[in-house]
Amino acid sequence: MTTNGSLNRKLRMALCGGGQGSFIGRVHATAAVLDNRAVLVAGALSSNAEKSKASAPDYDIPVARAYGSIHELVEKELALPADQRIDFVSVATPNHTHFEIAKTAAEAGFNVICDKPMTFDLKQAEELAEVVKKSGVVFAVTHNYTGYPLVRQARQMIASGELGEINAIRAFYIQGWLRTRLELSDQKQAAWRTDPKKSGIAGCFGDIATHAYNLARYMTGLLPETISCHLKTFEEGRALDDYGTAIVKFENGALGTVTASQISHGRENDMWIEIDGTKGSLVWRQEEPNAMVVRANGQPHKIYTRDPNAPHMNDMGRAACRLPSGHPEAFFEAFANIYRAAYDAMILRAEGKPFETKDTVYPNIHDGVEGMYFIEQCVASSQQGGSFLPIKHPLARK
Ligand SMILES: NC(=O)c1ccc[n+]([C@@H]2O[C@H](COP(=O)([O-])OP(=O)(O)OC[C@H]3O[C@@H](n4cnc5c(N)ncnc54)[C@H](O)[C@@H]3O)[C@@H](O)[C@H]2O)c1
């Protein structure tokens, strides 16, 4: 098969963020090309034009296409012949910049892959959803944990009723790196994440609880109804929460909890989820992502390994694998699965064909809006002593 089917060429990518010393931009750049379906040709790698140009060789981006802002990027890329121009923009910058970058790119007709939380606040997210609808671009949000093969396997198992009716969900994202006031040192990632002007109204809950909540929604497909939350700031002087727990009541009567921490000694990226159904339960852990434990009373515990050739794997799980079992797949591959699914939609769009925008394999603009609603309602509930507030957004998908 030719690269990208009838398009018969690689998709051209621009990266925003990812400048020297940054974290997730490099992951985007790597994941985007893992399947040889895209090439990184341009970027606004930093908000500073000189730094953007200095970082360009690290990605083999020609210096002439390393821009100082999204506005320069859009203007100069639109001026290029169509066979050189970018197809999509990836947004890997701090939260307060996502909206302007994503909106500018979408309004110019470029597809967008945006990191989470999608925007700075809910109002921006809802406005961005309008822009995306109007422009007709493909929009994915890198809630990358939904890209793990066993997460997709679980989604299909739950949708097909293998676990029965879902009664309970416990989602966690536990870290320890902000146990001290790291933000007072030179650590850039800690500095903006704990700054309400850059991170948003939540710290830990905006940064990582959103991933855990999204995972619960994605795996179960259950629609939420109300939420109660308590947020805490344990490091004295820190402006945003560094710990919290939310209780989510789902429409079907299920009860969920989301707990996130940045202050738990020695914990790295310990995100895990436990789901209890009337016929069985499962546990999946991102630090050991190639195995999932499925249990039923009176039966031996089953360990589902990520094995594309094994009969226990379903279509969704199998389709998300690249390697034979036993060769660990992890963060990059899961991230690349978000890109892979978004590329399929980009190709349909390039061919002028309709493509799904709501019930997508990849997290989309609707999930991005839901993430911002989650943050807003958690903060509001916490400020009200944990009152239950509505949590089902009109744009929520099943
Ligand atoms: N999906 C995930 O697993 C995951 C993991 C880490 C971070 N993130 C998200 O990715 C984003 C970036 O996080 P990070 O840890 O990589 O941050 P970082 O501080 O390491 O990197 C941010 C980069 O963006 C650049 N930048 C800042 N403003 C810019 C602008 N206006 N235009 C262009 N570049 C600009 C900075 O110079 C830097 O190179 C955040 O929204 C974060 O929440 C997601």
Side-chain angles (χ1 to χ4, degrees):
M1 198 182 90
T2 54
T3 302
N4 294 326
S6 67
L7 200 62
N8 200 20
R9 64 168 176 83
K10 290 187 187 178
L11 291 158
R12 292 181 284 272
M13 167 183 184
L15 177 64
C16 289
Q20 283 162 0
S22 68
F23 168 35
I24 208 73
R26 173 63 67 186
V27 176
H28 278 266
T30 306
V33 302
L34 199 68
D35 295 314
N36 203 31
R37 294 176 66 181
V39 58
L40 176 55
V41 295
L45 302 166
S46 161
S47 54
N48 173 307
E50 301 221 324
K51 283 192 189 158
S52 180
K53 288 197 186 301
S55 301
D58 298 347
Y59 293 98
D60 288 335
I61 293 172
V63 172
R65 286 176 88 175
Y67 308 108
S69 71
I70 183 65
H71 301 288
E72 186 191 354
L73 184 151
V74 161
E75 187 196 324
K76 300 247 171 83
E77 288 294 318
L78 285 176
L80 289 175
D83 65 353
Q84 292 174 30
R85 193 182 302 150
I86 56 162
D87 296 288
F88 71 96
V89 173
S90 293
V91 187
T93 55
N95 306 348
H96 67 298
T97 64
H98 291 184
F99 175 68
E100 186 184 355
I101 297 172
K103 178 171 182 273
T104 307
E107 282 176 341
F110 297 123
N111 303 303
V112 178
I113 312 270
C114 186
D115 223 310
K116 48 48 60 180
M118 188 172 78
T119 49
F120 186 72
D121 59 28
L122 178 65
K123 190 165 164 284
Q124 287 184 349
E126 289 171 339
E127 189 180 332
L128 188 56
E130 283 299 312
V131 170
V132 169
K133 196 169 163 194
K134 208 163 144 198
S135 64
V137 300
V138 175
F139 196 102
V141 180
T142 40
H143 277 301
N144 45 300
Y145 301 101
T146 64
Y148 281 92
L150 289 172
V151 166
R152 298 222 174 139
Q153 163 89 16
R155 178 174 155 92
Q156 188 177 331
M157 284 170 68
I158 290 168
S160 66
E162 278 184 59
L163 296 194
E165 178 79 13
I166 301 304
N167 292 152
I169 306 164
R170 294 171 295 281
F172 304 85
Y173 201 140
I174 309 296
Q175 299 178 332
W177 69 301
L178 294 180
R179 181 66 269 187
T180 59
R181 298 285 311 278
L182 192 60
E183 62 268 33
L184 299 179
S185 71
D186 256 357
Q187 225 278 10
K188 261 176 38 168
Q189 282 85 12
W192 73 253
R193 276 179 173 79
T194 54
D195 178 353
K197 292 200 188 73
K198 296 184 173 165
S199 191
I201 55 172
C204 175
F205 250 55
D207 199 36
I208 52 176
T210 41
H211 272 313
Y213 177 67
N214 173 266
L215 190 68
R217 286 275 292 115
Y218 184 82
M219 283 170 90
T220 66
L222 294 184
L223 284 164
E225 198 168 53
T226 54
I227 194 159
S228 156
C229 183
H230 286 279
L231 299 176
K232 296 284 287 185
T233 305
F234 285 112
E235 282 307 304
E236 209 181 321
R238 179 168 285 154
L240 292 170
D241 55 285
D242 48 26
Y243 190 91
T245 294
I247 301 173
V248 187
K249 292 183 187 171
F250 289 89
E251 279 187 350
N252 77 332
L255 200 55
T257 51
V258 178
T259 296
S261 170
Q262 293 169 324
I263 49 90
S264 303
H265 272 283
R267 305 296 280 277
E268 294 166 347
N269 279 286
D270 203 357
M271 182 201 207
W272 88 99
I273 186 159
E274 306 182 351
I275 300 174
D276 297 335
T278 51
K279 292 189 196 162
S281 68
L282 64 78
V283 179
W284 177 83
R285 196 164 212 137
Q286 99 98 17
E287 290 187 350
E288 299 288 343
N290 292 287
M292 177 167 73
V293 184
V294 181
R295 296 177 172 97
N297 283 347
Q299 291 179 24
H301 301 173
K302 294 178 195 154
I303 298 177
Y304 280 47
T305 53
R306 184 201 54 76
D307 181 352
N309 298 312
H312 68 256
M313 292 290 286
N314 57 34
D315 294 344
M316 274 195 85
R318 199 173 288 125
C321 297
R322 288 183 181 74
L323 296 170
S325 60
H327 295 305
E329 286 188 8
F331 199 73
F332 282 119
E333 288 89 348
F335 224 97
N337 282 337
I338 310 297
Y339 271 88
R340 183 195 259 182
Y343 290 161
D344 292 342
M346 287 182 202
I347 290 158
L348 288 172
R349 177 173 176 240
E351 289 170 338
K353 293 183 183 155
F355 59 93
E356 179 59 43
T357 55
K358 197 160 191 182
D359 186 23
T360 58
V361 180
Y362 59 87
N364 57 45
I365 184 87
H366 303 88
D367 303 300
V369 173
E370 260 203 80
M372 298 313 300
Y373 192 41
F374 169 78
I375 294 169
E376 190 147 305
Q377 295 303 72
C378 282
V379 171
S381 168
S382 186
Q383 283 168 350
Q384 295 168 31
S387 346
F388 274 94
L389 299 178
I391 187 64
K392 184 177 161 193
H393 193 276
L395 293 182
R397 66 140 148 182
K398 206 160 156 55

